[in-house]
Protein backbone atom coordinates (compact mmCIF):
# COMPACT_ATOMS: atom_id res chain seq x y z
CA UNK A 1 0.00 0.00 0.00
CA UNK A 2 1.57 3.35 -1.02
CA UNK A 3 2.82 5.43 1.88
CA UNK A 4 0.98 8.45 0.48
CA UNK A 5 -2.41 6.71 0.73
CA UNK A 6 -4.66 8.01 3.47
CA UNK A 7 -7.65 5.81 4.20
CA UNK A 8 -11.03 7.40 4.78
CA UNK A 9 -12.08 4.84 7.39
CA UNK A 10 -10.07 2.12 9.12
CA UNK A 11 -12.12 -0.35 11.16
CA UNK A 12 -10.36 -2.44 13.80
CA UNK A 13 -12.23 -5.61 14.73
CA UNK A 14 -14.23 -8.42 13.16
CA UNK A 15 -17.43 -8.92 15.11
CA UNK A 16 -20.97 -7.76 14.28
CA UNK A 17 -20.07 -4.12 15.05
CA UNK A 18 -17.02 -4.10 12.77
CA UNK A 19 -18.67 -5.74 9.77
CA UNK A 20 -21.85 -3.69 10.09
CA UNK A 21 -19.76 -0.53 10.20
CA UNK A 22 -17.93 -1.78 7.11
CA UNK A 23 -21.20 -2.40 5.24
CA UNK A 24 -22.40 1.14 5.90
CA UNK A 25 -19.05 2.75 5.14
CA UNK A 26 -18.63 0.75 1.94
CA UNK A 27 -22.10 1.65 0.69
CA UNK A 28 -21.20 5.30 1.32
CA UNK A 29 -18.26 4.90 -1.09
CA UNK A 30 -15.72 5.39 1.70
CA UNK A 31 -13.79 2.22 0.75
CA UNK A 32 -13.24 1.05 4.34
CA UNK A 33 -10.24 -1.02 5.36
CA UNK A 34 -10.86 -3.63 8.08
CA UNK A 35 -8.17 -5.17 10.27
CA UNK A 36 -9.97 -8.36 11.28
CA UNK A 37 -7.23 -9.78 13.50
CA UNK A 38 -5.91 -13.31 13.66
CA UNK A 39 -6.37 -16.34 15.94
CA UNK A 40 -4.81 -15.96 19.39
CA UNK A 41 -5.72 -18.69 21.88
CA UNK A 42 -9.51 -18.74 22.26
CA UNK A 43 -9.81 -15.39 20.47
CA UNK A 44 -10.75 -15.79 16.80
CA UNK A 45 -11.59 -13.29 14.07
CA UNK A 46 -15.34 -12.90 14.41
CA UNK A 47 -15.33 -12.40 18.17
CA UNK A 48 -17.26 -14.30 20.81
CA UNK A 49 -19.84 -15.52 18.29
CA UNK A 50 -17.19 -17.88 16.96
CA UNK A 51 -17.79 -19.95 20.11
CA UNK A 52 -21.57 -19.95 19.69
CA UNK A 53 -23.20 -22.97 18.08
CA UNK A 54 -26.81 -21.95 17.43
CA UNK A 55 -28.10 -18.38 17.24
CA UNK A 56 -31.87 -18.00 17.46
CA UNK A 57 -32.29 -14.32 18.31
CA UNK A 58 -30.64 -12.45 15.42
CA UNK A 59 -33.39 -10.80 13.32
CA UNK A 60 -33.90 -12.15 9.81
CA UNK A 61 -33.02 -15.77 10.53
CA UNK A 62 -36.08 -17.79 11.57
CA UNK A 63 -34.03 -20.98 11.65
CA UNK A 64 -31.01 -21.28 13.97
CA UNK A 65 -27.59 -20.69 12.47
CA UNK A 66 -24.14 -20.98 13.97
CA UNK A 67 -22.10 -18.04 15.17
CA UNK A 68 -19.35 -18.63 12.59
CA UNK A 69 -21.96 -18.84 9.81
CA UNK A 70 -23.56 -15.56 10.87
CA UNK A 71 -20.20 -13.81 10.98
CA UNK A 72 -19.23 -15.19 7.58
CA UNK A 73 -22.47 -13.89 6.06
CA UNK A 74 -22.09 -10.40 7.51
CA UNK A 75 -18.43 -10.29 6.43
CA UNK A 76 -19.36 -11.46 2.91
CA UNK A 77 -21.91 -8.66 2.69
CA UNK A 78 -19.27 -6.10 3.67
CA UNK A 79 -16.78 -7.49 1.15
CA UNK A 80 -19.46 -7.56 -1.55
CA UNK A 81 -19.88 -3.80 -1.18
CA UNK A 82 -16.15 -3.12 -1.50
CA UNK A 83 -14.66 -3.55 1.98
CA UNK A 84 -10.99 -4.50 1.99
CA UNK A 85 -9.75 -6.88 4.67
CA UNK A 86 -6.37 -7.37 6.32
CA UNK A 87 -6.07 -10.51 8.47
CA UNK A 88 -3.74 -9.02 11.06
CA UNK A 89 -3.97 -7.67 14.56
CA UNK A 90 -3.29 -4.01 15.19
CA UNK A 91 -0.41 -3.73 17.63
CA UNK A 92 -0.52 0.04 18.15
CA UNK A 93 -2.12 3.27 17.04
CA UNK A 94 -1.06 6.91 17.04
CA UNK A 95 -3.91 9.33 17.58
CA UNK A 96 -1.65 12.23 18.57
CA UNK A 97 -1.44 13.64 15.06
CA UNK A 98 -3.50 13.59 11.89
CA UNK A 99 -3.84 11.59 9.80
CA UNK A 100 -3.92 8.84 12.40
CA UNK A 101 -1.40 5.99 12.13
CA UNK A 102 -2.41 2.36 12.56
CA UNK A 103 0.40 -0.17 12.87
CA UNK A 104 -0.50 -3.83 12.23
CA UNK A 105 1.46 -6.90 13.30
CA UNK A 106 3.42 -7.44 10.10
CA UNK A 107 2.43 -4.99 7.36
CA UNK A 108 3.45 -1.39 6.91
CA UNK A 109 1.64 1.26 8.98
CA UNK A 110 -1.56 2.70 7.53
CA UNK A 111 -2.74 6.30 7.79
CA UNK A 112 -6.41 7.18 8.18
CA UNK A 113 -8.70 10.18 8.54
CA UNK A 114 -11.10 8.29 10.82
CA UNK A 115 -10.91 5.09 12.87
CA UNK A 116 -13.67 2.87 14.22
CA UNK A 117 -12.62 0.66 17.14
CA UNK A 118 -14.77 -2.48 17.33
CA UNK A 119 -12.41 -4.92 19.01
CA UNK A 120 -14.95 -6.34 21.47
CA UNK A 121 -14.34 -7.81 24.89
CA UNK A 122 -12.87 -11.20 25.68
CA UNK A 123 -14.72 -13.44 28.11
CA UNK A 124 -12.70 -14.53 31.12
CA UNK A 125 -12.49 -18.30 31.36
CA UNK A 126 -11.60 -20.57 34.24
CA UNK A 127 -8.56 -21.67 32.26
CA UNK A 128 -9.11 -25.42 31.92
CA UNK A 129 -8.24 -27.24 28.70
CA UNK A 130 -11.46 -29.26 28.95
CA UNK A 131 -13.50 -26.07 29.38
CA UNK A 132 -12.00 -24.38 26.32
CA UNK A 133 -12.29 -27.51 24.18
CA UNK A 134 -15.99 -27.93 24.91
CA UNK A 135 -16.64 -24.23 24.39
CA UNK A 136 -14.96 -24.34 21.00
CA UNK A 137 -16.88 -27.38 19.74
CA UNK A 138 -20.27 -26.36 21.12
CA UNK A 139 -20.25 -29.03 23.78
CA UNK A 140 -22.28 -27.22 26.42
CA UNK A 141 -19.83 -24.64 27.79
CA UNK A 142 -20.64 -20.97 27.25
CA UNK A 143 -19.77 -17.50 28.53
CA UNK A 144 -23.21 -16.02 27.80
CA UNK A 145 -26.43 -17.43 29.21
CA UNK A 146 -28.60 -14.82 27.49
CA UNK A 147 -27.02 -15.80 24.16
CA UNK A 148 -27.21 -19.58 24.55
CA UNK A 149 -29.30 -20.56 27.57
CA UNK A 150 -32.64 -20.75 25.77
CA UNK A 151 -31.42 -23.30 23.23
CA UNK A 152 -33.10 -26.73 23.36
CA UNK A 153 -29.77 -28.31 24.30
CA UNK A 154 -29.91 -26.72 27.78
CA UNK A 155 -33.59 -27.10 28.58
CA UNK A 156 -34.75 -29.12 31.58
CA UNK A 157 -31.20 -29.92 32.67
CA UNK A 158 -29.16 -29.06 35.72
CA UNK A 159 -26.98 -26.12 34.67
CA UNK A 160 -23.97 -24.69 36.46
CA UNK A 161 -22.89 -21.04 36.68
CA UNK A 162 -19.41 -20.08 37.84
CA UNK A 163 -19.10 -16.64 39.43
CA UNK A 164 -20.25 -14.47 42.29
CA UNK A 165 -20.85 -11.00 40.87
CA UNK A 166 -23.94 -9.33 39.46
CA UNK A 167 -23.32 -10.88 36.04
CA UNK A 168 -23.35 -14.37 37.52
CA UNK A 169 -26.58 -13.56 39.39
CA UNK A 170 -28.22 -12.30 36.19
CA UNK A 171 -27.06 -15.38 34.28
CA UNK A 172 -28.39 -17.70 36.98
CA UNK A 173 -31.77 -15.97 37.14
CA UNK A 174 -32.11 -16.10 33.36
CA UNK A 175 -31.32 -19.82 33.31
CA UNK A 176 -34.03 -20.61 35.87
CA UNK A 177 -36.54 -20.12 33.04
CA UNK A 178 -35.20 -23.18 31.23
CA UNK A 179 -33.20 -25.36 33.64
CA UNK A 180 -34.46 -28.01 36.03
CA UNK A 181 -31.92 -26.63 38.53
CA UNK A 182 -29.22 -23.96 38.51
CA UNK A 183 -26.11 -24.60 40.59
CA UNK A 184 -23.85 -21.62 41.27
CA UNK A 185 -20.23 -22.55 41.95
CA UNK A 186 -18.46 -19.81 43.91
CA UNK A 187 -15.00 -19.91 45.40
CA UNK A 188 -15.89 -17.79 48.46
CA UNK A 189 -18.50 -17.96 51.22
CA UNK A 190 -20.38 -14.87 50.08
CA UNK A 191 -21.23 -13.19 46.77
CA UNK A 192 -19.63 -10.04 45.45
CA UNK A 193 -22.94 -9.16 43.83
CA UNK A 194 -25.21 -6.40 45.07
CA UNK A 195 -27.42 -7.38 47.99
CA UNK A 196 -30.64 -7.16 46.04
CA UNK A 197 -29.31 -9.40 43.25
CA UNK A 198 -27.85 -11.90 45.69
CA UNK A 199 -31.07 -12.11 47.71
CA UNK A 200 -33.11 -12.64 44.55
CA UNK A 201 -30.94 -15.58 43.57
CA UNK A 202 -30.69 -17.12 47.03
CA UNK A 203 -34.46 -17.07 47.46
CA UNK A 204 -35.19 -18.74 44.13
CA UNK A 205 -36.37 -22.35 44.52
CA UNK A 206 -34.47 -23.54 41.46
CA UNK A 207 -31.07 -22.18 42.61
CA UNK A 208 -28.52 -23.98 44.75
CA UNK A 209 -25.10 -22.60 45.71
CA UNK A 210 -21.87 -24.51 46.21
CA UNK A 211 -19.93 -22.16 48.49
CA UNK A 212 -16.13 -22.24 48.82
CA UNK A 213 -15.91 -24.27 45.65
CA UNK A 214 -14.05 -24.16 42.38
CA UNK A 215 -14.24 -26.14 39.16
CA UNK A 216 -11.09 -28.20 38.55
CA UNK A 217 -12.25 -30.17 35.50
CA UNK A 218 -15.11 -30.19 33.01
CA UNK A 219 -16.20 -33.74 32.29
CA UNK A 220 -17.45 -35.11 28.99
CA UNK A 221 -16.35 -36.10 25.50
CA UNK A 222 -18.30 -34.30 22.78
CA UNK A 223 -20.75 -32.87 25.33
CA UNK A 224 -20.45 -31.87 28.97
CA UNK A 225 -21.62 -34.44 31.49
CA UNK A 226 -20.41 -33.01 34.78
CA UNK A 227 -17.87 -31.05 36.79
CA UNK A 228 -15.10 -31.93 39.18
CA UNK A 229 -15.31 -29.63 42.18
CA UNK A 230 -12.73 -28.82 44.84
CA UNK A 231 -13.58 -27.33 48.23
CA UNK A 232 -11.37 -24.24 48.57
CA UNK A 233 -11.22 -24.61 52.36
CA UNK A 234 -10.75 -28.35 52.90
CA UNK A 235 -9.42 -29.39 49.49
CA UNK A 236 -12.03 -32.16 49.32
CA UNK A 237 -12.87 -33.27 45.77
CA UNK A 238 -16.33 -34.16 44.48
CA UNK A 239 -18.28 -34.42 41.23
CA UNK A 240 -21.59 -33.02 40.11
CA UNK A 241 -23.62 -34.03 37.08
CA UNK A 242 -24.60 -31.07 34.86
CA UNK A 243 -25.86 -30.57 31.32
CA UNK A 244 -24.29 -27.17 30.80
CA UNK A 245 -21.73 -24.76 32.21
CA UNK A 246 -21.91 -20.97 32.02
CA UNK A 247 -18.77 -19.08 33.01
CA UNK A 248 -19.71 -15.65 34.35
CA UNK A 249 -16.53 -14.21 35.83
CA UNK A 250 -16.36 -11.12 33.66
CA UNK A 251 -14.97 -9.78 30.40
CA UNK A 252 -11.82 -7.90 29.44
CA UNK A 253 -12.26 -5.17 26.80
CA UNK A 254 -9.69 -5.48 24.01
CA UNK A 255 -8.15 -2.04 24.35
CA UNK A 256 -4.54 -2.67 25.36
CA UNK A 257 -3.25 -1.75 21.88
CA UNK A 258 -4.66 1.78 22.30
CA UNK A 259 -1.88 2.67 24.72
CA UNK A 260 -4.10 4.83 26.93
CA UNK A 261 -4.90 7.31 24.14
CA UNK A 262 -8.67 6.81 24.49
CA UNK A 263 -10.65 7.48 27.65
CA UNK A 264 -12.08 4.34 29.24
CA UNK A 265 -14.39 3.56 32.15
CA UNK A 266 -13.21 2.17 35.47
CA UNK A 267 -13.77 -1.31 34.01
CA UNK A 268 -11.76 -0.59 30.87
CA UNK A 269 -14.59 -0.06 28.37
CA UNK A 270 -14.19 2.82 25.92
CA UNK A 271 -16.14 5.93 26.89
CA UNK A 272 -18.38 7.36 24.18
CA UNK A 273 -20.78 10.28 24.06
CA UNK A 274 -24.32 9.53 25.18
CA UNK A 275 -26.29 7.87 22.35
CA UNK A 276 -23.28 8.39 20.10
CA UNK A 277 -20.11 6.46 19.33
CA UNK A 278 -17.65 9.38 19.40
CA UNK A 279 -14.67 8.99 21.74
CA UNK A 280 -12.63 11.74 23.37
CA UNK A 281 -10.44 11.88 20.25
CA UNK A 282 -12.15 13.66 17.38
CA UNK A 283 -12.45 11.36 14.38
CA UNK A 284 -12.14 8.17 16.44
CA UNK A 285 -15.31 6.20 17.09
CA UNK A 286 -16.02 2.98 18.97
CA UNK A 287 -18.74 0.34 18.70
CA UNK A 288 -19.77 -3.08 19.95
CA UNK A 289 -18.80 -4.86 23.14
CA UNK A 290 -15.72 -2.67 23.58
CA UNK A 291 -18.14 0.08 24.70
CA UNK A 292 -20.84 -2.16 26.19
CA UNK A 293 -20.68 -3.94 29.53
CA UNK A 294 -24.46 -4.21 29.82
CA UNK A 295 -26.20 -5.69 26.75
CA UNK A 296 -23.36 -7.61 25.05
CA UNK A 297 -25.58 -8.94 22.24
CA UNK A 298 -24.81 -9.40 18.56
CA UNK A 299 -27.72 -7.20 17.50
CA UNK A 300 -26.80 -4.31 19.80
CA UNK A 301 -23.21 -4.52 18.61
CA UNK A 302 -24.37 -4.40 15.00
CA UNK A 303 -26.52 -1.37 15.81
CA UNK A 304 -23.62 0.59 17.27
CA UNK A 305 -21.50 -0.43 14.28
CA UNK A 306 -24.07 1.23 12.04
CA UNK A 307 -23.99 4.32 14.26
CA UNK A 308 -20.19 4.54 14.20
CA UNK A 309 -20.07 4.33 10.41
CA UNK A 310 -22.69 7.05 10.02
CA UNK A 311 -20.84 9.27 12.47
CA UNK A 312 -17.53 8.68 10.67
CA UNK A 313 -19.20 9.47 7.34
CA UNK A 314 -20.66 12.67 8.76
CA UNK A 315 -17.31 13.66 10.30
CA UNK A 316 -15.55 13.16 6.97
CA UNK A 317 -18.17 15.17 5.11
CA UNK A 318 -17.85 17.99 7.64
CA UNK A 319 -14.14 18.06 6.84
CA UNK A 320 -14.64 18.05 3.09
CA UNK A 321 -14.09 14.32 2.51
CA UNK A 322 -16.72 12.05 1.00
CA UNK A 323 -20.08 12.70 -0.57
CA UNK A 324 -22.51 13.05 2.33
CA UNK A 325 -24.14 16.45 2.98
CA UNK A 326 -22.94 18.07 6.18
CA UNK A 327 -25.60 17.63 8.85
CA UNK A 328 -25.09 19.58 12.04
CA UNK A 329 -27.75 17.63 13.93
CA UNK A 330 -30.10 14.76 13.43
CA UNK A 331 -33.00 17.17 12.90
CA UNK A 332 -31.22 19.16 10.19
CA UNK A 333 -33.06 19.37 6.92
CA UNK A 334 -31.61 17.81 3.80
CA UNK A 335 -31.89 19.93 0.71
CA UNK A 336 -34.35 18.62 -1.88
CA UNK A 337 -32.89 17.67 -5.27
CA UNK A 338 -32.92 20.34 -7.94
CA UNK A 339 -35.77 20.32 -10.45
CA UNK A 340 -35.24 17.76 -13.15
CA UNK A 341 -32.55 15.91 -11.18
Amino acid sequence: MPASTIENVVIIGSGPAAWTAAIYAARANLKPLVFEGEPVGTELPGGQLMLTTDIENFPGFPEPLSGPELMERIKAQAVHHGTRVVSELVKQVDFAQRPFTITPSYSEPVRAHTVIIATGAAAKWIGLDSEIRLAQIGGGVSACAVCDGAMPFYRNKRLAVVGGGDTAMEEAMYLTKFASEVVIVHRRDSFRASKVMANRVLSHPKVRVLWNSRVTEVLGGDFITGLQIEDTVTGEASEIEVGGLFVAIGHTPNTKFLGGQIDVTEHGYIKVSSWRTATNVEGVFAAGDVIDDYYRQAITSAGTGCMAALEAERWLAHHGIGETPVLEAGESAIAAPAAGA
Side-chain angles (χ1 to χ4, degrees):
M1 188 174 296
S4 59
T5 299
I6 302 176
E7 301 291 340
N8 290 323
V9 183
V10 165
I11 300 169
I12 307 173
S14 59
W19 295 123
T20 303
I23 291 168
Y24 274 78
R27 294 188 71 251
N29 295 321
L30 295 176
K31 300 177 176 63
L33 178 67
V34 174
F35 285 97
E36 69 169 348
E38 54 197 297
V40 178
T42 59
E43 295 296 301
L44 303 171
Q48 294 184 56
L49 286 182
M50 300 304 287
L51 297 179
T52 302
T53 50
D54 289 331
I55 297 174
E56 298 181 319
N57 57 5
F58 199 89
F61 297 94
E63 299 298 326
L65 77 167
S66 71
E69 183 183 2
L70 176 62
M71 294 318 307
E72 186 57 36
R73 290 193 184 193
I74 302 176
K75 176 182 176 179
Q77 187 176 356
V79 172
H80 173 76
H81 288 293
T83 297
R84 293 160 297 142
V85 182
V86 178
S87 299
E88 294 182 39
L89 292 167
V90 170
K91 63 181 181 181
Q92 66 182 42
V93 293
D94 182 1
F95 295 150
Q97 56 184 352
R98 300 177 190 279
F100 303 129
T101 301
I102 299 92
T103 304
S105 298
Y106 318 110
S107 304
E108 292 297 314
V110 170
R111 296 190 296 166
H113 293 299
T114 64
V115 174
I116 296 175
I117 304 165
T119 47
K124 295 179 181 177
W125 296 95
I126 302 169
L128 304 171
D129 290 342
S130 53
E131 165 205 31
I132 301 304
R133 180 181 63 81
L134 285 167
Q136 289 176 331
I137 66 173
V141 176
S142 170
C144 181
V146 177
C147 307
D148 301 331
M151 294 194 311
F153 177 85
Y154 294 106
R155 290 177 181 261
N156 301 312
K157 295 180 180 179
R158 176 187 292 134
L159 304 177
V161 174
V162 173
D166 279 346
T167 297
M169 302 300 103
E170 292 168 1
E171 300 268 277
M173 288 300 298
Y174 180 80
L175 291 172
T176 59
K177 302 176 185 178
F178 315 105
S180 60
E181 182 185 29
V182 177
V183 179
I184 299 177
V185 182
H186 187 48
R187 58 184 177 175
R188 298 190 177 93
D189 59 2
S190 63
F191 290 137
R192 303 186 315 276
S194 61
K195 187 173 182 180
V196 63
M197 287 297 297
N199 288 341
R200 188 177 302 167
V201 166
L202 292 171
S203 63
H204 198 286
K206 278 191 176 183
V207 176
R208 174 163 59 100
V209 183
L210 297 181
W211 300 106
N212 297 318
S213 300
R214 70 184 187 97
V215 176
T216 56
E217 192 66 40
V218 182
L219 307 175
D222 293 334
F223 300 100
I224 184 173
T225 59
L227 304 173
Q228 284 186 357
I229 305 292
E230 179 185 78
D231 188 301
T232 58
V233 176
T234 66
E236 181 182 354
S238 61
E239 290 187 6
I240 179 174
E241 181 179 324
V242 299
L245 170 64
F246 294 85
V247 182
I249 54 179
H251 292 75
T252 302
N254 297 318
T255 57
K256 187 176 180 180
F257 72 98
L258 296 172
Q261 298 176 75
I262 299 293
D263 288 347
V264 298
T265 69
E266 61 178 320
H267 299 297
Y269 292 83
I270 294 177
K271 288 184 179 180
V272 292
S273 304
S274 180
W275 283 100
R276 295 290 186 270
T277 63
T279 69
N280 63 297
V281 177
E282 188 179 342
V284 177
F285 307 90
D289 283 6
V290 78
I291 67 172
D292 176 19
D293 65 351
Y294 187 80
Y295 297 105
R296 294 197 297 268
Q297 298 298 301
I299 190 63
T300 52
S301 291
T304 56
C306 162
M307 294 163 61
L310 293 175
E311 289 189 64
E313 181 186 0
R314 189 171 295 186
W315 189 93
L316 289 165
H318 186 77
H319 290 80
I321 306 168
E323 304 172 0
T324 304
V326 175
L327 303 178
E328 294 300 335
E331 294 78 15
S332 299
I334 299 177

